[in-house]
Amino acid sequence: LGDQILKETGRRLQAVCKVHAAACVGRMHADQFCLVFPSDISLAAMREEVDYAFNSPAEIEGQAVDITLAVGVALPPADNTTMAQLLRNAEIALDAGRTQHRNWLMYQQEMETSQRADLDLLSELKRAVEQNELRLYLQPKVRLSDGTVGSAEALVRWEHPRRGMIPPGDFVPFAEKTGRITLLTRWVLEHAMRLAASYRALGRPLQISVNLSTFDLGETGFAARTAILAHEVGVDPGDIRFEITESGAMQDPASALEVMNALRTSGFSLSIDDFGTGYSSLAYLQKMPVAELKIDRAFVRNVRPGSDGAALLESTIAMGHRLGLTVVAEGAEDAEEWSLLRAIGCDYAQGWFAAAPMPVPEFDRWCATQLPFVR
Ligand code: C2E
Ligand code: MG
Ligand code: MG
């Protein structure tokens, strides 16, 4: 269906170009098209043609489908801008439109700082991997019953030579959008595997959780490559757990399920991350070969005994247990949240109250001095 919508979009844009013989259109990649026209055609006229072309729904497999375009526009200034610059400007306008929820946006100089900074950051990401600027931080998941730590989450940081330490929220979403996330995943995975293997060799095994993005799930051969990597590194696959967000798993549940099953077959362990923020069908949840449910920190924040929030947490934990899952609460920040989580039967808590994500040597020190973490 998606392919047919793309073809129909192409046909309609071509029809626009038939009206204005000097215009031409091409598909850049995925669902992105580029329409180029000489400046003697007015932008207003062009916009009218495009709007008109997408006014009526397309009929695809007997169904009426509305096609909505998001458009980024760039016009050359008086001096001679190159086509490459124009394309880049249009892309910046498109990105800005996406964040401002506008379907049609003209490139403006002011977009430079924010949007272009993001693009530059992206091109730097490849270099960051090569130059070893990424850092792996670990945050413990503490078992509430006895204060022990059997697993930790790997969280990436970027130590930028000029910008300093960049949190993942500032580059992971962009890396995901452009597919560059696979580079990052590979880096984190390899380091997490080496680390887990070395902990096991030291006689104190630690399961390390690695976050996966939907892009990784959609990449063919991801599960097979991961199994090969584990073999090369010599890590026990059971020492690696993959966290897949609920919303990520639900974007394309059938293919997510396929990748998850393949990873599980290779011996890796799986977890549903940020649970409660997506819309998962319980039917799918039941089918997923996961061992762990991580309740999003939005449900943990400021929760107090006897509140509706506590009731919600308690029933989510009970549901997880019924499905045979271990339940982890994210983002426990104070003693009250911590003791409530223990009281209502949550298995693990991960949060600043115990420890924030730390560089590996600091994590080792924390384990040596703070465990068992009983409060
Ligand atoms: P996440 O997987 O849900 O990770 C938990 C986030 O909660 C981490 O933020 C962690 O620092 C933060 N956190 C932990 N305890 C507390 C607390 O008590 N209070 C509060 N307010 N926050 C707490 P971080 O490290 O900034 O990571 C944010 C997100 O970025 C992660 O969410 C994950 O989705 C993504 N991410 C991080 N590293 C990677 C990675 O290597 N690959 C991928 N694909 N995504 C990553
Ligand atoms: Mg996570
Ligand atoms: Mg999470």
Side-chain angles (χ1 to χ4, degrees):
L1 199 70
D3 280 349
Q4 292 187 45
I5 293 174
L6 284 178
K7 283 183 185 161
E8 180 61 23
T9 305
R11 272 193 291 272
R12 290 185 182 203
L13 289 172
Q14 271 172 340
V16 171
C17 295
K18 289 221 175 76
V19 179
H20 299 285
C24 70
V25 68
R27 176 162 164 239
M28 307 293 285
H29 55 84
D31 60 351
Q32 213 170 71
F33 293 83
C34 179
L35 198 150
V36 187
F37 58 95
S39 40
D40 54 4
I41 305 174
S42 85
L43 181 61
M46 205 41 137
R47 177 170 187 174
E48 212 163 282
E49 290 294 340
V50 171
D51 283 346
Y52 180 74
F54 289 89
N55 230 341
S56 54
E59 195 181 298
I60 288 165
E61 287 179 3
Q63 289 185 53
V65 178
D66 281 318
I67 303 175
T68 312
L69 296 187
V71 183
V73 185
L75 296 179
D79 57 2
N80 42 353
T81 318
T82 66
M83 188 54 88
Q85 276 169 314
L86 262 183
L87 277 175
R88 200 169 141 97
N89 290 354
E91 190 130 7
I92 285 172
L94 186 64
D95 262 359
R98 221 174 255 144
T99 37
Q100 297 171 30
H101 301 286
R102 307 249 312 261
N103 277 344
W104 183 285
L105 206 59
M106 280 275 282
Y107 167 80
Q108 279 165 340
Q109 186 70 30
E110 296 80 75
M111 293 172 181
E112 282 297 317
T113 38
S114 61
Q115 303 295 131
R116 183 152 283 173
D118 293 340
L119 281 185
D120 288 346
L121 206 58
L122 267 191
S123 58
E124 283 184 55
L125 191 54
K126 190 158 178 271
R127 196 212 60 214
V129 174
E130 288 160 4
Q131 315 254 317
N132 219 15
E133 289 168 16
L134 298 181
R135 304 281 174 262
L136 195 83
Y137 276 42
L138 289 178
Q139 187 179 33
K141 296 181 194 173
V142 179
R143 194 150 86 165
L144 286 159
S145 61
D146 60 6
T148 57
V149 168
S151 65
E153 179 172 7
L155 292 156
V156 72
R157 302 286 180 268
W158 180 359
E159 198 176 325
H160 194 280
R162 278 175 294 107
R163 293 169 205 243
M165 207 57 101
I166 309 178
D170 289 359
F171 61 95
V172 165
F174 297 107
E176 277 175 343
K177 214 166 65 185
T178 55
R180 208 138 329 174
I181 190 76
T182 52
L183 259 184
L184 190 111
T185 303
R186 161 90 195 194
W187 185 92
V188 174
L189 195 50
E190 204 175 318
H191 284 73
M193 283 179 173
R194 290 226 184 91
L195 203 56
S198 72
Y199 279 125
R200 186 164 282 282
L202 288 170
R204 46 182 184 106
L206 179 78
Q207 186 182 56
I208 301 183
S209 291
V210 172
N211 291 284
L212 287 189
S213 76
T214 42
F215 210 96
D216 299 310
L217 292 178
E219 227 205 346
T220 37
F222 174 77
R225 270 200 305 281
T226 304
I228 293 170
L229 187 62
H231 184 74
E232 281 169 6
V233 171
V235 68
D236 180 341
D239 285 348
I240 297 294
R241 174 166 285 186
F242 288 105
E243 294 190 2
I244 295 157
T245 61
E246 183 193 19
S247 51
M250 283 302 138
Q251 237 173 56
D252 183 355
S255 68
L257 199 59
E258 204 174 301
V259 179
M260 287 165 104
N261 279 326
L263 288 169
R264 184 71 203 103
T265 305
S266 300
F268 298 104
S269 159
L270 296 158
S271 170
I272 291 287
D273 201 357
D274 301 347
F275 185 75
T277 57
Y279 302 91
S280 55
S281 124
L282 292 176
Y284 263 112
L285 191 62
Q286 198 188 4
K287 272 194 228 161
M288 286 179 179
V290 295
E292 179 185 271
L293 198 66
K294 295 186 80 176
I295 303 177
D296 192 75
R297 65 172 175 271
F299 298 91
V300 177
R301 189 180 302 139
N302 296 326
V303 75
R304 295 293 175 252
S307 63
D308 286 352
L312 199 57
L313 264 181
E314 198 170 349
S315 48
T316 309
I317 293 165
M319 183 205 65
H321 286 162
R322 279 289 175 84
L323 291 172
L325 307 175
T326 301
V327 181
V328 181
E330 298 185 307
E333 293 184 0
D334 61 36
E336 277 150 296
E337 289 164 7
W338 198 266
S339 57
L340 176 79
L341 287 168
R342 193 179 41 229
I344 61 179
C346 190
D347 304 299
Y348 290 84
Q350 179 183 343
W352 295 343
F353 182 62
M358 311 166 261
V360 178
E362 206 177 303
F363 174 84
D364 290 339
R365 257 196 310 279
W366 183 87
C367 289
T369 56
Q370 301 290 316
L371 294 184
F373 187 86
V374 187
R375 293 292 186 281

